[in-house]
Amino acid sequence: MIMTKYSAIVAACTLPLGVNALAAQTQQEKPNVLFIAVDDLGWSDVGYNGSTLVATPNIDRLASMGVSFTDGYVTAPISGPSRNGMVSGMYSQKYGMQINADLKFAQVPAQHKTLPETMREAGYRTALVGKWHVCRDANVVFDEVYDRIDISSNYFPDSTGVYDGPRLPILAVKESTYENEYMTDKLTSHAIQFMNKQSNATPFFLYLGYNAVHNPWQAEKKYYDRLSNIKDEYMRVQASLIACADENIGILLNYLENRKLIDNTIIVFVSDNGPAKGGPELKTWEGYDPSFEYVFGQMKTLRGHKVDLYEGGIRTPMIIAYKPLLREGKVFRDMISTLDFYPTICEMTGSEIPEGTTLDGVSLVRYLREETKQQPHDMLFWCRNNFGAARMGVWKLYKESDKTELYNLREDIGETKDVSAEYPHIKEKMMKAWNEWHSTIPVSASKIKTQIKC
């Protein structure tokens, strides 16, 4: 067997603990935070939500350790604005971030602290491993940065050893070796490297941004070989990416258990948007069928995909686990947003929200602990240039420049029947609320090509 950096890390998790690890066995006053953001993983792509494409036993295990959300929403159906919403705790549309192209021109307001900056001010040692894609320099935000990815990355290095460089074949299956380490494994290795340096003296905040399962579709051979039952080549490669990401989640959970940190670590798991839909780049595959629209994931009953404001684009897998505070295996069915992660983590860790930082989310603690029967949100809003959406209770408003639709998600989660004519008062109420919210939103920054600030 070829020893890789990844397999060495896996082996190390089962060996006697080192000096730092022994020190960390004593629980510290504040809990650690491991924030895991994966890329383009659909709501139906995980076992606990009914996936039949590929098993996700470790993500399912994490769900059983904490609270999973049936109606968890990202703030945008594409990576840049979605990740900005997660870490800023405010609608990124407020500072001009609606699409990825806005990243060059939008800016998180100078007085506003992102979540990792707030954690650092609260005494945490902070690190980014992997994908960031946020309108603030990661080297300013974090104490340590490993393997930063801005948009996407190859999974294998090119001939010069560079991952995020010239594109390799968009569809590839290779064997990972020490010199040819698979990116998902590499990120896990560096996440463990960072955590292994920490002691009980200082809690850590680790933001682990996997580029998986985003394109290019480059699979690690051992996973691809296991999935010979999947006959569609692209779906087999996509399933391989998911299986690898799931196994890496398992490595992290095992590491925390072996370090005796699992009960003193808040773990957040989220996908930044729904699954990608195949585009012209797929024509390079000899089996490409132009009459078939490839969606790399299992939409099941959800309509839409990445870039859409239908449910498939903005409803994603979400989990929060923290044994001392949250009931294990709880399923939370009211709608929540990634905007809520920031204030929730602050309350769980006893960290103050800095002056000048205004959050659009709410702390979920009292809702998750069933200390209130209220819902966290009356309404949530979205916009992406000419597209808009809102959610209120069971109702979902969807609008484009030339049409507005209303759906009852309790009866029609697939958004197949527009009930605007039957419930005009609901549509009017939601449209009014959306217009009021949207009136505070500037034009997408890339459209006016100037920096936008609140």
Side-chain angles (χ1 to χ4, degrees), residues 239-260:
S240 301
L241 268 61
I242 295 172
C244 179
D246 180 78
E247 188 162 304
N248 275 270
I249 299 300
I251 295 298
L252 292 167
L253 296 180
N254 290 343
Y255 173 82
L256 291 171
E257 287 180 345
N258 290 338
R259 283 277 310 266
K260 302 189 185 304

Side-chain angles (χ1 to χ4, degrees), residues 176-192:
S176 180
T177 66
Y178 188 89
E179 295 79 14
N180 200 41
E181 189 177 21
Y182 195 67
M183 177 56 81
T184 306
D185 302 339
K186 180 182 174 74
L187 297 180
T188 299
S189 297
H190 284 155
I192 291 175

Side-chain angles (χ1 to χ4, degrees), residues 78-204:
I78 196 163
S79 177
S82 173
R83 289 172 185 258
N84 272 267
M86 283 184 205
V87 301
S88 70
M90 67 185 298
Y91 284 109
S92 64
Q93 293 88 345
K94 288 184 175 180
Y95 49 91
M97 188 72 190
Q98 297 188 34
I99 59 176
N100 284 345
D102 296 331
L103 186 68
K104 185 178 179 181
F105 305 100
Q107 187 65 47
V108 178
Q111 75 277 13
H112 187 98
K113 299 294 185 182
T114 62
L115 174 58
E117 289 172 302
T118 293
M119 290 294 98
R120 185 164 61 180
E121 288 189 2
Y124 280 71
R125 184 70 181 174
T126 65
L128 162 71
V129 178
K131 183 165 179 175
W132 182 229
H133 209 186
V134 172
C135 301
R136 185 163 286 172
D137 185 356
N139 292 310
V140 173
V141 171
F142 294 93
D143 294 312
E144 300 182 39
V145 175
Y146 303 74
D147 309 308
R148 193 189 77 197
I149 299 168
D150 290 320
I151 297 178
S152 63
S153 170
N154 290 305
Y155 287 86
F156 294 98
D158 62 19
S159 59
T160 67
V162 174
Y163 288 82
D164 195 22
R167 283 281 181 217
L168 295 173
I170 197 163
L171 180 68
V173 179
K174 295 184 179 182
E175 186 170 2
S176 180
T177 66
Y178 188 89
E179 295 79 14
N180 200 41
E181 189 177 21
Y182 195 67
M183 177 56 81
T184 306
D185 302 339
K186 180 182 174 74
L187 297 180
T188 299
S189 297
H190 284 155
I192 291 175
Q193 179 182 324
F194 167 76
M195 291 189 290
N196 209 41
K197 292 192 303 181
Q198 312 311 312
S199 72
N200 65 322
T202 304
F204 65 77

Side-chain angles (χ1 to χ4, degrees), residues 22 25 58 74 77 98 130 132 177 182 185 196 202 208 210 235 249 285 298 311 351 356 362 369 375 411 419 446:
L22 287 170
Q25 289 187 50
N58 294 294
V74 291
Q98 297 188 34
W132 182 229
T177 66
Y182 195 67
D185 302 339
N196 209 41
T202 304
L208 175 55
Y210 284 113
M235 293 305 288
I249 299 300
W285 175 47
Q298 292 184 293
E311 292 293 285
S351 303
V362 299
R369 288 176 58 80
Q375 296 184 10
E411 299 177 358
V419 294
S446 59

